Amino acid sequence: MNPFQLTTSIIVVVVLGVFSLKVRIVNITGFIAAEIVGSIILILGNAEWFIVLLAFYFTAGLFTKYKYEYKKRIGAAEEKGGARGWKNVVANGLVASLLAMGYGLVASNIFSAGLLGAISTSAADTLATEIGLLYPRQPRLITNLNKNVEPGTSGGVSPLGEIANLFGGTLIGLVAWIVGFSGFTLQKILTITIISGFLGSTFDSLLGAWIQATFRCPVCNKITEKTTHCEKTCKLIKGNKIFDNNVVNTISTIFGATIATMIFLTI
Ligand SMILES: [Zn+2]
């Protein structure tokens, strides 16, 4: 990358970051984390990777805000108007950043496939949650489909959430194809993104049901996966507090990236 490209890249990352801060996709800590992740992806990875990352970032931001008041009423909205903090940005960007570092050393398509898997998992999982919350009936627990759970419960699944999950992987695949992702064919891209996104997001739900920390809000008594609710610290009632939503998301993106590289090597 020459000095002109480097300067342009930094300007692009800063402008998009400031915009996303203005429209409250992220708060100030999320903004700083997004600047770091965005720079690593664009400078060590490449422009195609960066556009795929942006497709996830802005779609996730949009759907987090979609029908926000309704999600807030049922007690399942992201806190603070849906502006994501640094932990959420790192949870969705860490694996992608590590893959970009790998790609910076050896420009192999195996890293590109891994990136598609990590971002598809984040997109599938975020959209399954944010769109799935609009399902008019109660979700079921993924490990026991006879059991109804409150909307927003870790491990809860619904038909609408599953459609949104597949939509997430498809969207990432289509964007990757449009930008001419490292010469992959459309069929290969969609096979990677839909399957790895679906399996990564399903793995996230399973971890959600098995080990993820579940809390109770001391104010409204809601069961939540968030450590704070109604602006108060919640009480742990189930799972391990190390495995909060962000840690579970990070583990799931590793899983999704692994699935994607396995598909890449197989087909
Ligand atoms: Zn509450």
Side-chain angles (χ1 to χ4, degrees):
M1 196 171 259
N2 64 41
F4 173 74
Q5 288 172 318
L6 187 64
T7 312
T8 313
S9 300
I10 291 167
I11 292 170
V12 168
V13 172
V14 170
V15 168
L16 289 169
V18 169
F19 171 74
S20 69
L21 181 64
K22 280 264 179 213
V23 298
R24 301 204 185 141
I25 287 175
V26 283
N27 66 20
I28 187 71
T29 67
F31 164 75
I32 294 165
E35 288 300 293
I36 296 169
V37 171
S39 303
I40 291 172
I41 301 288
L42 184 55
I43 294 166
L44 295 180
N46 56 45
E48 290 86 39
W49 287 30
F50 185 67
I51 293 168
V52 168
L53 181 76
L54 287 182
F56 157 67
Y57 185 74
F58 285 106
T59 309
L62 188 72
F63 279 106
T64 300
K65 292 184 183 302
Y66 182 65
K67 298 204 188 286
Y68 185 81
E69 286 308 314
Y70 169 77
K71 291 172 190 166
K72 196 168 178 179
R73 260 201 320 278
I74 62 170
E78 285 292 315
E79 296 276 287
K80 304 187 197 305
R84 309 274 182 160
W86 71 271
K87 286 182 185 168
N88 191 272
V89 174
V90 170
N92 289 303
L94 177 68
V95 173
S97 300
L98 292 175
L99 289 164
M101 290 174 191
Y103 188 83
L105 294 172
V106 186
S108 162
N109 271 350
I110 197 157
F111 292 112
S112 310
L115 177 102
L116 287 176
I119 300 204
S120 295
T121 298
S122 293
D125 180 47
T126 307
L127 296 188
T129 303
E130 295 298 337
I131 298 175
L133 282 174
L134 306 174
Y135 186 62
R137 272 169 280 168
Q138 280 202 310
R140 309 285 183 101
L141 192 64
I142 190 167
T143 48
N144 176 7
L145 292 172
N146 291 319
K147 193 177 170 194
N148 286 322
V149 291
E150 290 293 317
T153 305
S154 309
V157 291
S158 70
L160 182 62
E162 294 303 300
I163 292 168
N165 176 337
L166 295 171
F167 169 65
T170 308
L171 176 83
I172 294 303
L174 288 177
V175 171
W177 179 68
I178 289 166
V179 297
F181 212 79
S182 305
F184 287 44
T185 62
L186 177 61
Q187 193 191 359
K188 186 156 185 163
I189 291 181
L190 286 178
T191 307
I192 290 172
T193 59
I194 295 172
I195 296 177
S196 64
F198 180 79
L199 294 180
S201 173
T202 303
F203 187 66
D204 188 285
S205 296
L206 285 170
L207 291 179
W210 285 333
I211 57 166
Q212 187 170 332
T214 303
F215 301 92
R216 187 190 299 277
C217 170
V219 179
C220 70
N221 260 329
K222 268 257 175 219
I223 308 288
T224 174
E225 62 179 27
K226 300 179 182 80
T227 51
T228 57
H229 201 261
C230 300
E231 299 183 13
K232 284 271 185 296
T233 305
C234 299
K235 195 170 176 294
L236 182 73
I237 55 166
K238 184 172 118 6
N240 189 320
K241 86 169 180 268
I242 298 165
F243 295 106
D244 66 7
N245 194 35
N246 295 314
V247 172
V248 167
N249 279 348
T250 308
I251 297 170
S252 303
T253 56
I254 296 170
F255 184 81
T258 307
I259 296 287
T261 52
M262 281 162 56
I263 298 170
F264 172 78
L265 294 171
T266 309
I267 61 171

